[in-house]
Amino acid sequence: MSGYDERAGRALAEGEFDRLPGEPLEAPEVGDVSAVISVRLRGDEIDALERAAAAAGVPLSTFIRQAALSVASPLDMRAVSAQAETFEIEARRLLALLRGKAS
């Protein structure tokens, strides 16, 4: 059995695929749009992605999807910084309230 066949079997067993190759596709529900995108990878690249997905505790397809989307929609660091500052202010207020009640 080839490495590809082993990976495909493992992915099928882990629920990565909704159907076997050749089975008919069901029409998606309204608002439920999805696409399958084919990407060519070398064996060592697939191995590296599989290790990273396993370390993250997610299926390979989920890992790849999350990685692609994180690059497509990078964090707005100014917004994150502003939210962190607001959180810190609120945490200090809460701490002051708790200290006031404890004394």
Side-chain angles (χ1 to χ4, degrees):
M1 184 180 282
S2 73
Y4 174 82
D5 290 334
E6 288 175 17
R7 282 189 280 276
R10 197 167 50 244
L12 183 61
E14 293 173 1
E16 295 263 335
F17 301 123
D18 295 332
R19 63 184 182 82
L20 291 170
E23 288 183 353
L25 288 172
E26 292 182 20
E29 294 179 19
V30 176
D32 182 18
V33 179
S34 64
V36 176
I37 299 172
S38 178
V39 179
R40 295 177 197 261
L41 298 168
R42 295 186 320 262
D44 61 321
E45 294 170 328
I46 294 171
D47 292 342
L49 289 171
E50 286 178 332
R51 285 191 304 274
V58 298
L60 179 60
S61 62
T62 300
F63 182 82
I64 293 171
R65 183 182 315 102
Q66 290 173 346
L69 290 174
S70 71
V71 173
S73 303
L75 285 176
D76 178 349
M77 291 309 293
R78 288 183 184 172
V80 170
S81 180
Q83 289 175 342
E85 188 174 326
T86 299
F87 177 76
E88 183 178 1
I89 290 167
E90 293 302 318
R92 287 177 190 222
R93 285 182 186 163
L94 178 60
L95 186 57
L97 284 171
L98 291 172
R99 285 182 178 159
K101 288 183 179 178
S103 359

